[in-house]
Amino acid sequence: MADVAAHLGVSRQLVSLVLGDRPGPSAATRERVLRAAEELGYRADTAAQLLRRARSRQLGVLFTMEHPMDADLVEALYPVAARFGYSVALSAMLANRTERQAIDELVGLRCEALVLIGMSAQAPEDLAGVAERVPVVEIGQRTNARGTDSVRTDAVSGVRQAVGHLVGLGHRHIAHVYGGDLPSAPERRTGYLEGMREHGLGAYTDLVPGAYTEEAGARAATALLARDTLPTAVVCCNDQSARGLMETLLHAGRSVPGDVSVVGYDDSRAARLSFLNLTSVRQDVARIAELTVGAAVERLEEGRTESTHVVLPTTLTVRSSTAPPRS
């Protein structure tokens, strides 16, 4: 700021007013100062600004690097947070970095609330301790940790819709690649089982171990290809798993949907790729972001103390990866 002030021959206080967007300077003066700041390459020291503030107005977001759905959610959170006057700080979960380390980093950055995307449900007591310090909102699951909020989609209904769609096309031998204990995976498995029973296909239930990765989908496809007979349709636990399964089937000379119809979950950007064109259970990312930030702001601005848990409806986006089975 001293450089900008010296360049223009004005006081540093005037420059501070303009760059802090505070009242006082005229429109012409503001334009001169901002132009000079741009010419000199001035950038505000965000860390110093945070230290001077009584509040940081930062929302900390914990996410994984593995899942495209997490990236979609992070992207959706930024504009919503900005509309409420908050910035976003990110902390990634990695193989060599524990969830606790990632959370502690966000708290250390003076984040006023935490948004946890796809965190495992292994230690809700830890979450309860964190929630005593700052508001915590979980996306995609509900651990029931004391003092936390959650926003998730109705995974049971979503997968039931997927099964109903396949049954309506004429499929009976429908398998499910399930995600073990990953966030929302047990609910997706329940939706598959309920959907099969609902259509009188309980005897045809076929659970194949998997996870939320392309590699897991590929392993599931390899296991299915080793059988004497393939199922005519597969509901995968997410879009990444479906992608790995589809590519492995195609490399083995099987066609999708000719030999096997495939359904994913998330309706992520990958599902919309022209070479996949994947039928998928859709999660409304924009609405999830809206409700998540809203829940954090309610606690911070309005003093809400009771927990809220929102379950959003899902829809099925039908594309060309599903078709009637061959006779």
Side-chain angles (χ1 to χ4, degrees):
M1 285 192 290
D3 291 339
V4 174
H7 180 73
L8 292 174
V10 299
S11 69
R12 178 169 174 167
Q13 181 181 13
L14 177 64
V15 174
S16 177
L17 289 173
V18 172
L19 297 180
D21 198 23
R22 293 190 290 274
S26 67
T29 299
R30 287 181 184 278
E31 185 178 349
R32 285 182 62 220
V33 171
L34 292 174
R35 188 184 305 115
E38 184 66 28
E39 291 172 356
L40 294 174
Y42 171 84
R43 295 292 181 270
D45 188 336
T46 305
Q49 289 178 343
L50 289 177
L51 287 173
R52 288 196 298 269
R53 293 179 190 169
R55 291 184 56 185
S56 71
R57 299 196 71 83
Q58 280 198 137
L59 301 180
V61 179
L62 179 71
F63 72 109
T64 66
M65 303 288 285
E66 296 180 354
H67 307 140
M69 186 66 181
D70 285 17
D72 290 349
L73 285 165
V74 167
E75 184 176 339
L77 287 167
Y78 269 96
V80 181
R83 198 169 69 245
F84 283 99
Y86 287 81
S87 60
V88 173
L90 301 179
S91 187
M93 289 185 289
L94 305 170
N96 59 349
R97 193 163 182 260
T98 67
E99 294 168 351
R100 187 72 220 193
Q101 288 174 319
I103 288 174
D104 287 344
E105 178 181 275
L106 291 173
V107 174
L109 289 171
R110 297 181 63 218
C111 292
E112 295 188 354
L114 300 183
V115 174
L116 311 180
I117 304 175
M119 197 187 83
S120 71
Q122 62 189 14
E125 286 306 317
D126 285 349
L127 272 188
V130 174
E132 291 177 355
R133 302 167 61 188
V134 295
V136 173
V137 187
E138 299 176 83
I139 291 181
Q141 67 176 20
R142 175 181 174 178
T143 62
N144 286 320
R146 186 179 64 258
T148 61
D149 300 324
S150 66
V151 179
R152 65 194 196 281
T153 54
D154 189 346
V156 173
S157 173
V159 178
R160 284 176 62 189
Q161 289 177 59
V163 172
H165 165 67
L166 292 169
V167 172
L169 291 173
H171 293 277
R172 298 293 179 270
H173 296 270
I174 304 168
H176 175 50
V177 178
Y178 65 96
D181 294 325
L182 292 170
S184 183
E187 289 80 7
R188 298 176 194 188
R189 179 178 182 272
T190 297
Y192 164 75
L193 295 173
E194 288 186 2
M196 294 293 282
R197 288 195 295 266
E198 178 183 346
H199 293 283
L201 300 175
Y204 292 96
T205 55
D206 185 1
L207 292 168
V208 184
Y212 291 165
T213 64
E214 285 92 346
E215 292 81 2
R219 288 194 297 270
T222 300
L224 292 173
L225 288 165
R227 299 179 179 180
D228 294 333
T229 305
L230 279 172
T232 63
V234 180
V235 179
C236 291
C237 53
N238 77 339
D239 291 347
Q240 284 177 275
S241 174
R243 180 174 181 171
L245 181 131
M246 290 172 67
E247 290 181 355
T248 303
L249 290 175
L250 292 172
H251 281 305
R254 306 304 178 98
S255 67
V256 176
D259 293 313
V260 183
S261 286
V262 180
V263 180
Y265 194 107
D266 287 337
D267 198 20
S268 62
R269 293 178 183 177
R272 301 191 289 272
L273 293 172
S274 59
F275 60 88
L276 286 182
N277 214 23
L278 176 66
T279 295
S280 184
V281 179
R282 180 176 183 270
Q283 300 195 74
D284 190 339
V285 171
R287 185 62 177 149
I288 292 172
E290 186 82 30
L291 291 170
T292 298
V293 175
V297 171
E298 281 179 3
R299 285 190 180 265
L300 293 169
E301 309 286 349
E302 301 173 18
R304 175 175 59 81
T305 56
E306 71 280 3
S307 293
T308 62
H309 301 285
V310 180
V311 180
L312 294 172
T314 51
T315 56
L316 185 69
T317 303
V318 178
R319 298 189 180 90
S320 64
S321 69
T322 53
R326 288 176 176 166
S327 58

